[in-house]
Amino acid sequence: MAPTCTPATRRGLDYGPQWWTLDRPPGSALHGAYLAWGVYGQFILVSPQRHMVIAHKRDVPLSGREDARWVRLNEFLHAATMLANAPCQ
């Protein structure tokens, strides 16, 4: 049986024990990182290589109000990569 290519694997993700693991090459700022992915674009990313945790929290609309814009995974990962690559002073 051939492996299935799911939307998550196309994004470079795999699912482990309650965490999404990122498939990034060695040398990448997020190599070895993993994340929790919540509703409306709430994220917690752990980067052991950088000794860094990045949390993105947002107000979630009250029940019945579903028109809020979601923060997409690629948007969060772009910001997380910039933070992980920033020089530490």
Side-chain angles (χ1 to χ4, degrees):
M1 177 184 282
T4 306
C5 187
T6 66
T9 57
R10 284 192 297 270
R11 291 180 177 147
L13 296 172
D14 196 8
Y15 194 69
Q18 306 298 313
W19 290 92
W20 290 98
T21 57
L22 299 178
D23 181 20
R24 300 295 189 265
S28 165
L30 299 180
H31 177 72
Y34 51 95
L35 65 94
W37 184 357
V39 69
Y40 293 105
Q42 299 184 103
F43 297 95
I44 301 170
L45 182 134
V46 179
S47 175
Q49 173 180 296
R50 299 284 200 235
H51 305 282
M52 178 183 288
V53 174
I54 302 169
H56 180 265
K57 182 185 178 306
R58 56 168 297 173
D59 290 331
V60 176
L62 299 174
S63 179
R65 191 170 161 249
E66 301 295 326
D67 61 344
R69 182 183 175 282
W70 288 52
V71 175
R72 292 181 174 81
L73 175 66
N74 64 334
E75 295 170 323
F76 172 74
L77 290 177
H78 178 73
T81 301
M82 290 191 324
L83 288 169
N85 281 325
C88 187
Q89 298 182 15

Coordinates of all heavy atoms in Angstrom, one line a residue:
M1 N 0.8 -1.2 0.0 CA 0.0 0.0 0.0 C 0.9 1.2 0.0 O 1.8 1.4 0.8 CB -0.9 0.0 1.2 CG -1.8 1.2 1.3 SD -2.7 1.3 2.8 CE -4.0 0.2 2.4
A2 N 0.6 2.2 -0.9 CA 1.4 3.4 -1.0 C 1.0 4.4 0.2 O -0.1 4.4 0.6 CB 1.2 4.1 -2.3
P3 N 2.0 5.1 0.7 CA 1.7 6.1 1.7 C 0.7 7.2 1.2 O 0.8 7.5 0.0 CB 3.1 6.7 2.1 CG 4.0 6.3 1.1 CD 3.4 5.1 0.3
T4 N -0.1 7.7 2.0 CA -1.0 8.7 1.7 C -0.4 10.1 1.9 O 0.2 10.3 3.0 CB -2.3 8.6 2.5 OG1 -2.8 7.2 2.4 CG2 -3.4 9.5 2.1
C5 N -0.7 11.0 1.0 CA -0.2 12.4 1.2 C -1.4 13.2 1.7 O -2.3 13.5 1.0 CB 0.4 12.9 -0.1 SG 1.1 14.6 0.2
T6 N -1.4 13.5 3.0 CA -2.5 14.3 3.6 C -2.2 15.7 3.5 O -1.1 16.1 3.3 CB -2.7 13.8 5.0 OG1 -1.5 14.3 5.8 CG2 -2.9 12.4 5.2
P7 N -3.2 16.6 3.7 CA -2.9 18.0 3.8 C -1.8 18.4 4.8 O -1.0 19.3 4.6 CB -4.3 18.7 4.2 CG -5.3 17.7 3.7 CD -4.6 16.3 3.8
A8 N -1.8 17.7 5.9 CA -0.8 18.0 6.9 C 0.6 17.6 6.4 O 1.6 18.4 6.6 CB -1.1 17.2 8.2
T9 N 0.8 16.5 5.8 CA 2.1 16.1 5.3 C 2.6 17.1 4.2 O 3.7 17.4 4.0 CB 2.2 14.7 4.8 OG1 1.2 14.4 3.8 CG2 2.0 13.7 6.0
R10 N 1.6 17.6 3.4 CA 2.0 18.5 2.3 C 2.5 19.8 3.0 O 3.2 20.6 2.4 CB 0.8 18.8 1.4 CG 0.6 17.7 0.4 CD -0.4 18.1 -0.7 NE -1.7 18.4 -0.2 CZ -2.7 17.5 0.0 NH1 -2.5 16.3 -0.3 NH2 -3.9 17.9 0.4
R11 N 2.0 20.1 4.2 CA 2.5 21.3 4.9 C 3.8 21.1 5.6 O 4.3 22.0 6.3 CB 1.5 21.8 5.9 CG 0.2 22.3 5.3 CD -0.8 22.7 6.4 NE -1.9 23.3 5.8 CZ -3.1 23.2 6.4 NH1 -3.3 22.5 7.5 NH2 -4.2 23.8 5.8
G12 N 4.4 19.9 5.6 CA 5.6 19.6 6.3 C 5.4 19.3 7.8 O 6.2 19.6 8.6
L13 N 4.2 18.7 8.1 CA 3.8 18.4 9.5 C 3.6 16.9 9.7 O 3.2 16.3 8.7 CB 2.5 19.2 9.9 CG 2.5 20.7 9.9 CD1 1.1 21.2 10.1 CD2 3.4 21.2 11.0
D14 N 3.8 16.5 10.9 CA 3.4 15.2 11.3 C 2.9 15.3 12.7 O 3.1 16.2 13.4 CB 4.7 14.2 11.3 CG 4.3 12.8 11.3 OD1 3.1 12.4 11.2 OD2 5.2 11.9 11.4
Y15 N 2.1 14.3 13.1 CA 1.4 14.4 14.4 C 2.0 13.4 15.3 O 2.1 12.2 15.0 CB -0.1 14.2 14.3 CG -0.9 14.6 15.5 CD1 -1.0 15.9 15.9 CD2 -1.5 13.6 16.3 CE1 -1.7 16.3 17.0 CE2 -2.2 14.0 17.4 CZ -2.3 15.3 17.8 OH -3.0 15.7 18.9
G16 N 2.5 13.8 16.5 CA 3.1 13.0 17.5 C 2.2 12.9 18.7 O 1.0 13.2 18.6
P17 N 2.7 12.7 19.9 CA 1.9 12.6 21.1 C 1.3 13.9 21.5 O 1.9 14.7 22.3 CB 2.9 12.0 22.2 CG 4.2 11.9 21.5 CD 4.1 12.4 20.1
Q18 N 0.2 14.3 20.9 CA -0.5 15.5 21.1 C 0.2 16.8 20.6 O -0.2 17.9 20.9 CB -0.8 15.7 22.6 CG -1.6 14.5 23.3 CD -2.9 14.3 22.7 OE1 -3.7 15.2 22.5 NE2 -3.2 13.1 22.3
W19 N 1.2 16.6 19.8 CA 1.9 17.7 19.2 C 2.1 17.5 17.7 O 2.3 16.4 17.3 CB 3.3 17.9 19.9 CG 3.3 18.3 21.3 CD1 3.2 17.5 22.4 CD2 3.3 19.6 21.8 NE1 3.2 18.2 23.5 CE2 3.2 19.6 23.2 CE3 3.3 20.9 21.2 CZ2 3.2 20.7 24.0 CZ3 3.3 22.0 22.0 CH2 3.2 21.9 23.4
W20 N 2.1 18.6 17.0 CA 2.5 18.6 15.6 C 4.0 18.8 15.5 O 4.5 19.7 16.1 CB 1.8 19.7 14.8 CG 0.3 19.5 14.7 CD1 -0.7 20.1 15.4 CD2 -0.3 18.7 13.7 NE1 -1.9 19.7 15.0 CE2 -1.7 18.8 13.9 CE3 0.1 17.9 12.6 CZ2 -2.6 18.2 13.1 CZ3 -0.8 17.3 11.9 CH2 -2.2 17.4 12.1
T21 N 4.7 18.0 14.7 CA 6.1 18.1 14.6 C 6.4 18.7 13.2 O 5.7 18.3 12.2 CB 6.8 16.7 14.7 OG1 6.2 15.8 13.7 CG2 6.6 16.1 16.1
L22 N 7.4 19.6 13.1 CA 7.7 20.2 11.9 C 8.8 19.5 11.1 O 9.7 19.0 11.7 CB 8.2 21.7 12.1 CG 7.2 22.6 12.8 CD1 7.9 23.9 13.1 CD2 6.0 22.8 12.0
D23 N 8.6 19.4 9.8 CA 9.6 18.7 9.0 C 10.5 19.8 8.4 O 10.2 20.3 7.3 CB 8.9 17.8 8.0 CG 9.9 17.1 7.1 OD1 11.1 16.9 7.5 OD2 9.5 16.7 6.0
R24 N 11.5 20.2 9.1 CA 12.4 21.2 8.6 C 13.8 20.7 8.5 O 14.2 19.9 9.3 CB 12.4 22.5 9.5 CG 11.1 23.1 9.6 CD 10.6 23.7 8.3 NE 9.4 24.5 8.4 CZ 8.2 24.1 8.2 NH1 7.9 22.9 7.9 NH2 7.2 24.9 8.3
P25 N 14.6 21.1 7.5 CA 16.0 20.5 7.3 C 16.9 21.0 8.4 O 16.7 22.0 9.0 CB 16.4 21.1 6.0 CG 15.6 22.3 5.8 CD 14.3 22.1 6.5
P26 N 18.0 20.2 8.7 CA 19.0 20.6 9.6 C 19.5 22.0 9.2 O 19.7 22.3 8.0 CB 20.1 19.6 9.5 CG 19.3 18.4 9.0 CD 18.3 18.9 8.1
G27 N 19.8 22.8 10.2 CA 20.3 24.2 9.9 C 19.1 25.2 9.8 O 19.3 26.4 9.9
S28 N 17.9 24.7 9.6 CA 16.7 25.6 9.6 C 16.5 26.1 11.0 O 16.7 25.4 12.0 CB 15.5 24.9 9.1 OG 14.3 25.6 9.4
A29 N 16.0 27.3 11.2 CA 15.7 27.9 12.5 C 14.7 27.1 13.3 O 14.7 27.1 14.5 CB 15.2 29.3 12.3
L30 N 13.8 26.3 12.6 CA 12.8 25.6 13.3 C 13.0 24.1 13.2 O 12.1 23.3 13.4 CB 11.4 25.9 12.7 CG 11.0 27.4 12.9 CD1 9.6 27.6 12.3 CD2 11.0 27.8 14.3
H31 N 14.2 23.7 12.9 CA 14.6 22.2 12.8 C 14.3 21.6 14.2 O 14.8 22.2 15.2 CB 16.0 22.0 12.4 CG 16.4 20.6 12.4 ND1 15.9 19.7 11.5 CD2 17.2 19.9 13.3 CE1 16.4 18.5 11.8 NE2 17.2 18.6 12.8
G32 N 13.6 20.5 14.3 CA 13.3 19.9 15.6 C 12.2 20.5 16.4 O 11.9 20.0 17.5
A33 N 11.6 21.5 15.8 CA 10.5 22.2 16.6 C 9.2 21.4 16.5 O 9.0 20.6 15.6 CB 10.3 23.6 16.0
Y34 N 8.3 21.7 17.4 CA 7.0 21.1 17.5 C 6.0 22.1 18.0 O 6.4 23.1 18.6 CB 7.0 19.8 18.3 CG 7.5 19.9 19.6 CD1 6.7 20.1 20.8 CD2 8.9 19.7 19.9 CE1 7.3 20.2 22.0 CE2 9.5 19.8 21.1 CZ 8.6 20.1 22.2 OH 9.2 20.2 23.5
L35 N 4.7 21.9 17.7 CA 3.7 22.9 18.0 C 2.4 22.3 18.4 O 2.0 21.3 17.9 CB 3.6 24.0 16.9 CG 3.0 23.6 15.6 CD1 1.5 23.8 15.5 CD2 3.7 24.4 14.5
A36 N 1.7 23.1 19.2 CA 0.2 22.9 19.5 C -0.5 23.9 18.6 O -0.1 25.0 18.5 CB -0.1 23.1 20.9
W37 N -1.6 23.4 18.0 CA -2.4 24.3 17.1 C -3.8 24.3 17.5 O -4.5 23.3 17.5 CB -2.2 23.6 15.7 CG -2.8 24.3 14.5 CD1 -3.5 25.4 14.4 CD2 -2.7 23.8 13.2 NE1 -3.9 25.7 13.1 CE2 -3.3 24.7 12.4 CE3 -2.0 22.7 12.6 CZ2 -3.4 24.5 11.0 CZ3 -2.1 22.5 11.2 CH2 -2.8 23.4 10.4
G38 N -4.3 25.5 17.9 CA -5.6 25.6 18.5 C -6.5 26.4 17.5 O -6.2 26.8 16.4
V39 N -7.8 26.5 18.0 CA -8.8 27.1 17.2 C -8.5 28.6 16.9 O -7.8 29.3 17.7 CB -10.2 27.0 17.9 CG1 -10.3 27.8 19.2 CG2 -11.3 27.3 16.9
Y40 N -8.9 29.1 15.8 CA -8.7 30.5 15.3 C -7.3 30.9 15.3 O -7.0 32.1 15.3 CB -9.5 31.5 16.3 CG -11.0 31.3 16.1 CD1 -11.7 30.7 17.1 CD2 -11.6 31.8 15.0 CE1 -13.1 30.5 17.0 CE2 -13.0 31.6 14.9 CZ -13.7 31.0 15.8 OH -15.1 30.8 15.7
G41 N -6.3 30.0 15.2 CA -4.9 30.4 15.0 C -4.2 30.7 16.3 O -3.3 31.5 16.3
Q42 N -4.5 29.9 17.3 CA -3.8 30.0 18.5 C -2.7 28.9 18.5 O -3.0 27.8 18.1 CB -4.7 29.8 19.8 CG -5.7 30.9 19.8 CD -6.6 30.8 21.1 OE1 -6.4 31.5 22.0 NE2 -7.5 29.8 21.1
F43 N -1.5 29.3 18.7 CA -0.3 28.3 18.6 C 0.6 28.4 19.8 O 0.7 29.5 20.4 CB 0.5 28.7 17.3 CG -0.2 28.6 16.1 CD1 -0.9 29.7 15.5 CD2 -0.3 27.4 15.4 CE1 -1.5 29.6 14.3 CE2 -1.0 27.2 14.2 CZ -1.6 28.4 13.6
I44 N 1.2 27.3 20.1 CA 2.4 27.3 21.0 C 3.5 26.5 20.2 O 3.2 25.3 19.8 CB 2.1 26.5 22.3 CG1 1.0 27.2 23.0 CG2 3.4 26.5 23.1 CD1 0.5 26.4 24.2
L45 N 4.6 27.1 20.0 CA 5.7 26.4 19.2 C 6.9 26.3 20.2 O 7.3 27.3 20.9 CB 6.1 27.3 18.0 CG 7.2 26.6 17.2 CD1 6.9 26.7 15.7 CD2 8.5 27.3 17.4
V46 N 7.5 25.1 20.2 CA 8.7 24.9 21.0 C 9.8 24.6 20.1 O 9.7 23.7 19.3 CB 8.4 23.7 22.0 CG1 9.7 23.4 22.8 CG2 7.2 23.9 22.9
S47 N 10.9 25.3 20.3 CA 12.1 25.1 19.5 C 13.2 24.7 20.4 O 13.9 25.6 20.9 CB 12.5 26.4 18.7 OG 13.7 26.2 18.0
P48 N 13.5 23.4 20.6 CA 14.6 23.0 21.5 C 15.9 23.5 21.0 O 16.8 23.9 21.8 CB 14.5 21.5 21.5 CG 13.1 21.2 21.0 CD 12.7 22.3 20.1
Q49 N 16.1 23.6 19.7 CA 17.4 24.0 19.1 C 17.7 25.5 19.5 O 18.9 25.8 19.8 CB 17.3 23.9 17.6 CG 18.5 24.5 16.9 CD 18.4 24.3 15.4 OE1 18.3 23.2 14.9 NE2 18.3 25.4 14.7
R50 N 16.7 26.3 19.6 CA 16.9 27.7 19.9 C 16.6 28.0 21.4 O 16.7 29.2 21.8 CB 16.0 28.6 19.1 CG 16.2 28.5 17.6 CD 17.4 29.3 17.2 NE 17.4 29.6 15.8 CZ 18.4 29.3 15.0 NH1 19.5 28.6 15.4 NH2 18.4 29.6 13.7
H51 N 16.2 27.0 22.2 CA 15.8 27.2 23.6 C 14.7 28.3 23.7 O 14.8 29.2 24.5 CB 17.0 27.6 24.5 CG 18.1 26.6 24.4 ND1 18.1 25.4 25.0 CD2 19.3 26.7 23.7 CE1 19.2 24.8 24.7 NE2 20.0 25.5 23.9
M52 N 13.7 28.1 22.8 CA 12.7 29.1 22.7 C 11.3 28.5 22.6 O 11.1 27.5 22.1 CB 13.0 29.9 21.3 CG 12.0 31.0 21.0 SD 12.4 31.7 19.4 CE 13.8 32.6 19.7
V53 N 10.3 29.2 23.3 CA 8.9 28.9 23.1 C 8.2 30.2 22.6 O 8.5 31.3 23.1 CB 8.3 28.5 24.5 CG1 6.8 28.3 24.4 CG2 9.0 27.3 25.0
I54 N 7.4 30.0 21.6 CA 6.6 31.1 21.0 C 5.2 30.8 21.2 O 4.7 29.7 20.7 CB 7.0 31.3 19.6 CG1 8.5 31.6 19.4 CG2 6.1 32.5 19.0 CD1 8.9 31.6 17.9
A55 N 4.4 31.7 21.8 CA 3.0 31.5 22.0 C 2.3 32.6 21.3 O 2.6 33.8 21.3 CB 2.6 31.5 23.5
H56 N 1.2 32.2 20.5 CA 0.4 33.2 19.9 C -1.1 32.9 20.4 O -1.7 31.9 20.1 CB 0.4 33.0 18.3 CG -0.5 33.9 17.6 ND1 -1.7 33.6 17.2 CD2 -0.2 35.2 17.2 CE1 -2.3 34.6 16.6 NE2 -1.4 35.6 16.6
K57 N -1.6 33.9 21.1 CA -2.9 33.8 21.7 C -3.7 34.9 21.1 O -3.2 36.0 20.9 CB -2.9 33.9 23.2 CG -4.2 33.8 23.8 CD -4.1 34.1 25.3 CE -5.5 34.0 26.0 NZ -6.5 34.8 25.5
R58 N -5.0 34.7 20.9 CA -5.9 35.7 20.4 C -7.2 35.6 21.1 O -7.6 34.5 21.6 CB -5.9 35.7 18.9 CG -6.4 34.4 18.4 CD -6.7 34.4 16.9 NE -7.9 35.3 16.8 CZ -8.4 35.7 15.7 NH1 -7.8 35.3 14.5 NH2 -9.4 36.5 15.6
D59 N -8.0 36.7 21.0 CA -9.4 36.6 21.5 C -10.2 35.7 20.6 O -10.1 35.9 19.4 CB -10.0 38.0 21.6 CG -9.4 38.9 22.6 OD1 -8.9 38.3 23.6 OD2 -9.3 40.1 22.5
V60 N -10.9 34.8 21.2 CA -11.8 33.9 20.4 C -13.2 34.5 20.5 O -13.6 34.9 21.5 CB -11.7 32.5 20.9 CG1 -12.7 31.6 20.2 CG2 -10.3 31.9 20.8
P61 N -13.9 34.6 19.4 CA -15.2 35.2 19.4 C -16.2 34.4 20.3 O -16.0 33.2 20.5 CB -15.7 35.0 17.9 CG -14.6 34.5 17.1 CD -13.5 34.1 18.0
L62 N -17.1 35.2 20.9 CA -18.1 34.6 21.7 C -19.0 33.6 20.9 O -19.1 33.7 19.7 CB -19.0 35.7 22.3 CG -18.3 36.7 23.2 CD1 -19.2 37.8 23.6 CD2 -17.7 36.0 24.4
S63 N -19.6 32.7 21.6 CA -20.4 31.7 20.9 C -21.4 32.4 20.0 O -22.1 33.4 20.3 CB -21.2 30.9 21.9 OG -22.0 30.0 21.3
G64 N -21.5 31.8 18.8 CA -22.5 32.4 17.8 C -21.9 33.4 16.9 O -22.5 33.8 15.9
R65 N -20.7 33.8 17.1 CA -20.0 34.8 16.3 C -18.8 34.2 15.6 O -17.7 34.2 16.2 CB -19.6 36.0 17.1 CG -19.2 37.2 16.2 CD -19.0 38.5 17.0 NE -18.1 39.3 16.1 CZ -16.9 39.6 16.3 NH1 -16.3 39.2 17.4 NH2 -16.2 40.3 15.4
E66 N -19.0 33.7 14.5 CA -18.0 32.9 13.8 C -17.3 33.6 12.6 O -16.8 33.0 11.8 CB -18.6 31.6 13.3 CG -19.3 30.7 14.3 CD -18.2 30.2 15.3 OE1 -17.1 29.9 14.9 OE2 -18.6 30.0 16.5
D67 N -17.4 34.9 12.6 CA -16.9 35.7 11.5 C -15.4 36.2 11.7 O -14.9 36.9 10.9 CB -17.8 36.9 11.2 CG -17.9 37.9 12.3 OD1 -17.5 37.5 13.5 OD2 -18.4 39.0 12.1
A68 N -14.8 35.8 12.8 CA -13.4 36.2 13.1 C -12.4 35.6 12.1 O -12.6 34.5 11.7 CB -13.0 35.9 14.5
R69 N -11.4 36.4 11.7 CA -10.4 35.9 10.8 C -9.5 34.9 11.6 O -9.0 35.2 12.7 CB -9.6 37.0 10.3 CG -8.5 36.6 9.3 CD -7.7 37.8 8.8 NE -6.6 37.4 8.0 CZ -5.5 36.9 8.4 NH1 -5.3 36.7 9.7 NH2 -4.5 36.5 7.6
W70 N -9.2 33.8 11.0 CA -8.3 32.8 11.5 C -6.9 33.2 11.2 O -6.6 33.7 10.1 CB -8.5 31.4 11.0 CG -9.8 30.8 11.5 CD1 -11.0 31.3 11.5 CD2 -9.9 29.5 12.1 NE1 -11.9 30.4 12.0 CE2 -11.2 29.3 12.4 CE3 -9.0 28.5 12.3 CZ2 -11.7 28.1 13.0 CZ3 -9.4 27.3 12.9 CH2 -10.8 27.2 13.2
V71 N -5.9 33.0 12.0 CA -4.5 33.1 11.7 C -4.1 31.8 11.1 O -4.2 30.7 11.8 CB -3.6 33.5 13.0 CG1 -2.2 33.5 12.6 CG2 -4.1 34.8 13.5
R72 N -3.6 31.8 9.9 CA -3.2 30.6 9.2 C -1.9 30.1 9.7 O -1.0 30.8 10.1 CB -3.2 30.8 7.7 CG -4.7 31.1 7.2 CD -4.7 31.3 5.7 NE -6.0 31.4 5.2 CZ -6.7 32.5 5.2 NH1 -6.3 33.6 5.8 NH2 -7.9 32.5 4.7
L73 N -1.7 28.8 9.5 CA -0.4 28.1 9.9 C 0.8 28.8 9.2 O 1.8 29.1 9.9 CB -0.5 26.6 9.6 CG 0.8 25.9 9.9 CD1 1.2 25.9 11.4 CD2 0.8 24.5 9.3
N74 N 0.7 29.0 7.9 CA 1.8 29.6 7.2 C 2.2 31.0 7.7 O 3.3 31.4 7.8 CB 1.6 29.5 5.7 CG 0.5 30.4 5.2 OD1 -0.5 30.6 6.0 ND2 0.5 30.8 4.0
E75 N 1.2 31.7 8.1 CA 1.4 33.1 8.7 C 2.1 33.0 10.0 O 3.1 33.7 10.3 CB 0.1 33.8 8.9 CG -0.7 34.1 7.6 CD -2.1 34.6 7.8 OE1 -2.8 34.1 8.7 OE2 -2.5 35.5 7.0
F76 N 1.7 32.1 10.9 CA 2.3 31.9 12.1 C 3.8 31.4 12.0 O 4.7 31.9 12.6 CB 1.5 30.9 13.0 CG 2.3 30.6 14.3 CD1 2.4 31.5 15.3 CD2 2.9 29.3 14.4 CE1 3.1 31.2 16.5 CE2 3.6 29.0 15.6 CZ 3.7 29.9 16.6
L77 N 4.0 30.4 11.1 CA 5.3 29.9 10.9 C 6.3 30.9 10.3 O 7.5 30.9 10.6 CB 5.3 28.6 10.1 CG 4.6 27.4 10.7 CD1 4.6 26.2 9.8 CD2 5.4 27.0 12.0
H78 N 5.8 31.8 9.5 CA 6.6 32.8 8.9 C 7.1 33.7 10.1 O 8.3 34.1 10.2 CB 5.8 33.7 7.9 CG 6.6 34.8 7.3 ND1 7.6 34.6 6.4 CD2 6.5 36.1 7.5 CE1 8.1 35.8 6.1 NE2 7.4 36.7 6.8
A79 N 6.2 34.2 10.9 CA 6.5 35.0 12.1 C 7.5 34.3 13.0 O 8.5 34.8 13.5 CB 5.3 35.5 12.8
A80 N 7.2 33.0 13.3 CA 8.0 32.2 14.2 C 9.4 32.0 13.6 O 10.4 32.1 14.4 CB 7.4 30.8 14.4
T81 N 9.6 31.8 12.3 CA 10.9 31.7 11.7 C 11.7 33.0 11.8 O 12.9 33.0 12.2 CB 10.7 31.3 10.2 OG1 10.1 30.1 10.1 CG2 12.1 31.2 9.5
M82 N 11.0 34.2 11.7 CA 11.7 35.5 11.8 C 12.2 35.6 13.3 O 13.3 36.1 13.5 CB 10.7 36.6 11.4 CG 10.5 36.7 9.9 SD 9.7 38.2 9.3 CE 8.5 38.6 10.6
L83 N 11.3 35.2 14.2 CA 11.7 35.3 15.6 C 12.9 34.4 16.0 O 13.8 34.8 16.6 CB 10.5 35.0 16.6 CG 9.4 36.1 16.6 CD1 8.2 35.5 17.4 CD2 9.9 37.3 17.3
A84 N 12.8 33.2 15.4 CA 13.9 32.2 15.7 C 15.2 32.6 15.1 O 16.3 32.3 15.6 CB 13.5 30.8 15.2
N85 N 15.1 33.4 14.0 CA 16.4 33.8 13.3 C 16.9 35.1 13.8 O 18.0 35.5 13.5 CB 16.1 34.0 11.8 CG 16.1 32.7 11.0 OD1 16.9 31.8 11.4 ND2 15.3 32.5 10.0
A86 N 16.1 35.8 14.6 CA 16.5 37.1 15.2 C 17.7 36.9 16.1 O 17.8 36.0 16.9 CB 15.4 37.8 15.9
P87 N 18.7 37.9 16.1 CA 19.8 37.8 17.0 C 19.4 38.0 18.4 O 18.5 38.8 18.7 CB 20.7 38.9 16.5 CG 19.9 39.8 15.7 CD 18.7 39.0 15.2
C88 N 19.9 37.2 19.3 CA 19.6 37.3 20.7 C 20.7 38.3 21.4 O 21.9 38.0 21.2 CB 19.7 36.0 21.3 SG 19.1 36.0 23.0
Q89 N 20.2 39.3 22.1 CA 21.2 40.2 22.7 C 21.1 40.2 24.2 O 20.1 40.0 24.8 CB 20.9 41.6 22.2 CG 21.1 41.7 20.7 CD 20.8 43.2 20.2 OE1 20.8 44.1 21.0 NE2 20.7 43.3 18.9

